[in-house]
Amino acid sequence: MTTDVIGQICALGAAITWAMAMVLFKRSGETIAPLPLNCFKNAIGVLLLTITLLAIGDGFDSLAGRPSAEIYILIISGVLGIAVADTLFFYGLNLIGVGLISIVDCSYSPFIIFFSYLMLAEKLSVWHYIGGALIVVGVYISSRHSPPVGRTRGQIAVGVLLTLGAMATMTFSIVWAKPVLDVQNFPLVWATMIRMFFGTLALAIIMIASSSRRSYWSVFRPSRTWAFAVPGSVLGAYLSLVFWMAGFKYARASIAAMLNQTSVIFALIFATFMLKEVLTRRKLIAVVLAMTGVFLTMGGSRWQRWMDEHRPHPGAEVRTMEPSPAHRPCAVRFSQPAAKEDSCG
């Protein structure tokens, strides 16, 4: 199994675990405000990541010799992606509701593709574009709910802009950090820990500065709300985040983003069985489209490589059983003609 496939599996795992967490957060969010719930979720994540580092014996010596610039990038990435982006997202959620925010959430993949093209010079095959389009269409169909009642047009516009800002900030933060995770091979758990810790620290500062700090901090007192908030936090702030970071570390950022986008579809499935929501024909069509997109996305590179290998070459009359030159790493990477591939070392 290649690292790219591992990355795609992790990205899909992030979507599944986050979808389950969203169902649990929906229940806990009935009694806990968005900002303290977000801080509580991330505090659980920091605790579990600390336990993980202790369990695997990965101490601070793993960071020895690392350039300070890498640490700073991860810190800023965490503050942007966890504190700023999540805060914008939750405020947008309060203004426009789940239905509209799910539609705006479709901008996640295009933002990732845009920043990956702009900052990482990533290129996709036609299969990736088709798969990504099917995922976005599936998510859009599943998210076509009525606008929230009691909101003005101005509030809806502000909520949409806040959510778009959240998606842009979140995607920028992770694409910006990808070279540290990939090229510099930064330890994955430590990278996740640094982003989570400083993102949570920023949230804690915001809560301390808030006039509602007394009610905000009450979420950390044991109560019945923990029945949903704690398992939701384990899934949403630990497992899904580790999967998410691993997906971006081992797979191309654009592909990982497309697979992450299926979390809305999985949330529909979980909500049907756990919250007894009706799975309508529209939701079923959305699931089929999204899963087809996932299949195309995960197999896109393989199918494109197969097509390139079996494309007839000009002047070729006999097809031998020799291994295709396209299997050579230099051919895949540089796309050189067969006559020149033998010189690759």
Side-chain angles (χ1 to χ4, degrees):
M1 183 179 296
T2 64
T3 56
D4 187 60
V5 173
I6 292 174
Q8 292 176 14
I9 293 174
C10 288
L12 196 58
I16 295 172
T17 51
W18 177 247
M20 180 68 74
M22 282 198 295
V23 173
L24 296 170
F25 286 142
K26 182 179 180 181
R27 296 295 302 273
S28 58
E30 296 171 359
T31 54
I32 305 176
L35 185 60
L37 179 60
N38 186 29
C39 189
F40 178 83
K41 165 181 69 70
N42 294 328
I44 294 291
V46 170
L47 175 62
L48 293 175
L49 287 171
T50 301
I51 295 173
T52 300
L53 288 171
L54 293 174
I56 63 179
D58 196 358
F60 286 100
D61 55 330
S62 298
L63 304 180
R66 290 283 176 181
S68 57
E70 296 181 5
I71 307 295
Y72 294 148
I73 288 175
L74 291 174
I75 291 174
I76 297 173
S77 174
V79 172
L80 290 175
I82 293 175
V84 177
D86 284 356
T87 300
L88 291 175
F89 182 85
F90 283 124
Y91 276 114
L93 178 62
N94 283 342
L95 286 174
I96 65 178
V98 175
L100 284 177
I101 208 168
S102 296
I103 297 176
V104 183
D105 186 71
C106 294
S107 62
Y108 175 82
S109 287
F111 272 127
I112 282 287
I113 293 173
F114 171 74
F115 286 125
S116 298
Y117 170 79
L118 194 66
M119 302 165 65
L120 305 179
E122 288 194 358
K123 295 182 180 180
L124 304 176
S125 72
V126 64
W127 298 106
H128 296 135
Y129 286 108
I130 295 174
L134 287 175
I135 292 173
V136 172
V137 170
V139 173
Y140 174 77
I141 291 176
S142 69
S143 306
R144 293 191 61 186
H145 303 296
S146 301
V149 179
R151 294 295 184 186
T152 65
R153 289 184 179 273
Q155 288 175 319
I156 298 301
V158 172
V160 169
L161 290 176
L162 286 172
T163 309
L164 285 173
M167 293 298 105
T169 306
M170 182 188 303
T171 52
F172 171 83
S173 70
I174 191 62
V175 173
W176 185 42
K178 181 174 171 60
V180 175
L181 301 173
D182 192 2
V183 179
Q184 279 77 30
N185 197 28
F186 202 96
L188 179 61
V189 179
W190 266 112
T192 307
M193 178 63 166
I194 291 172
R195 293 185 77 252
M196 178 70 74
F197 177 81
F198 284 96
T200 306
L201 179 62
L203 284 171
I205 293 173
I206 294 173
M207 289 174 59
I208 292 173
S210 173
S211 59
S212 304
R213 54 184 174 272
R214 185 179 297 275
S215 61
Y216 282 171
W217 287 105
S218 64
V219 69
F220 289 94
R221 290 197 297 266
S223 64
R224 293 182 179 179
T225 58
W226 281 23
F228 299 106
V230 171
S233 299
V234 172
L235 290 173
Y238 180 65
L239 290 178
S240 68
L241 187 60
V242 171
F243 281 140
W244 188 54
M245 296 286 288
F248 276 95
K249 177 180 175 64
Y250 297 116
R252 285 190 288 174
S254 304
I255 306 304
M258 293 178 187
L259 296 174
N260 291 156
Q261 195 73 73
T262 61
S263 61
V264 176
I265 307 301
F266 288 113
L268 288 174
I269 297 174
F270 294 147
T272 299
F273 292 100
M274 299 178 63
L275 303 178
K276 306 303 180 183
E277 294 183 2
V278 179
L279 182 61
T280 63
R281 180 181 301 178
R282 176 180 294 174
K283 292 180 180 179
L284 185 59
I285 292 174
V287 170
V288 171
L289 285 173
M291 293 304 100
T292 303
V294 169
F295 182 70
L296 289 175
T297 301
M298 294 188 71
S301 299
R302 186 176 303 173
W303 293 347
Q304 186 65 45
R305 189 162 54 247
W306 184 88
M307 291 177 63
D308 292 341
E309 293 173 6
H310 291 78
R311 183 182 294 114
H313 297 281
E317 298 181 357
V318 180
R319 188 175 183 85
T320 68
M321 297 301 293
E322 295 284 333
S324 171
H327 283 94
R328 300 181 184 180
C330 59
V332 175
R333 185 174 181 181
F334 299 107
S335 300
Q336 296 175 329
K340 297 182 179 180
E341 287 167 359
D342 290 336
S343 62
C344 296

